[in-house]
Amino acid sequence: MKEPLFIKLVKNFYGISKPFDEFAKDVINDAGNKIAIWLMVYLIISAYALMVLISWFSPMNVVSGLIIADTFVYFVASAYIGRIIRKNKLDRYEFDNEEERKIYSKRFIISRLFMSVLILLLAMYPISTWFRYMGMYQSIWPIFIGYFTGNLVAIYMQYCRLFKR
């Protein structure tokens, strides 16, 4: 049976390699609902905090702080989903043959690299703007190089855990 595009995106985004059955659907829906509720609470609190803090501090500093807080909340939500995926072993898939393992390993590497570059690009602009505003032009590149190198190591370790025998 051919999977719809949305299911393929969910599996790719969360790193699910098993078929998307009822169990996987229930786990993802439950985790997604919990994250959605906490994100709604965070959005309301951050909106009120933004209004109050702008009256006390520089608007650029407050908005920069909010961008960093939003990035931190995104990483916490991603870590939570990743924990749920690993806890329920949705990232583990028993391959029928070596050819299938190779196909899934290539898809895994490509999707992880694509997501890493996308997150890096999305995070680079606001953080580089903030660093430029603070007058720290040269100190941004070591942060991004360190992030990307650490992310490559994490991708390789996850690849070894999932696909090496």
Side-chain angles (χ1 to χ4, degrees), residues 2-21:
K2 188 168 178 152
E3 292 180 328
L5 177 64
F6 183 73
I7 299 298
K8 287 181 183 179
L9 289 174
V10 167
K11 285 177 67 173
N12 184 29
F13 189 76
Y14 292 136
I16 299 172
S17 57
K18 284 188 173 184
F20 206 71
D21 57 358

Side-chain angles (χ1 to χ4, degrees), residues 25 43 47 60-61 63 81 84 89 133-134 147 150 155 159:
K25 189 175 182 180
L43 286 174
M60 182 63 179
N61 288 343
V63 170
I81 280 288
I84 295 295
K89 295 183 169 83
Y133 175 75
M134 301 299 283
Y147 163 78
I155 289 170
Y159 171 78

Side-chain angles (χ1 to χ4, degrees), residues 119-130 132 140-141 144:
I119 290 170
L120 183 66
L121 291 175
L122 290 175
M124 190 171 200
Y125 178 73
I127 294 174
S128 64
T129 303
W130 184 64
R132 202 172 308 125
I140 192 167
W141 289 109
F144 287 111

Side-chain angles (χ1 to χ4, degrees), residues 108 154-165:
F108 172 82
I155 289 170
Y156 179 73
M157 288 173 56
Q158 192 175 19
Y159 171 78
C160 289
R161 183 176 63 88
L162 295 175
F163 295 102
K164 297 281 182 170
R165 292 184 182 201

Side-chain angles (χ1 to χ4, degrees), residues 42 46 49-50 53-54 57-73 126-127 129-131 133-134:
Y42 169 75
S46 66
L50 184 68
L53 291 174
I54 280 184
F57 301 106
S58 165
M60 182 63 179
N61 288 343
V62 173
V63 170
S64 298
L66 184 66
I67 290 170
I68 291 171
D70 289 347
T71 304
F72 178 74
V73 167
I127 294 174
T129 303
W130 184 64
F131 270 75
Y133 175 75
M134 301 299 283

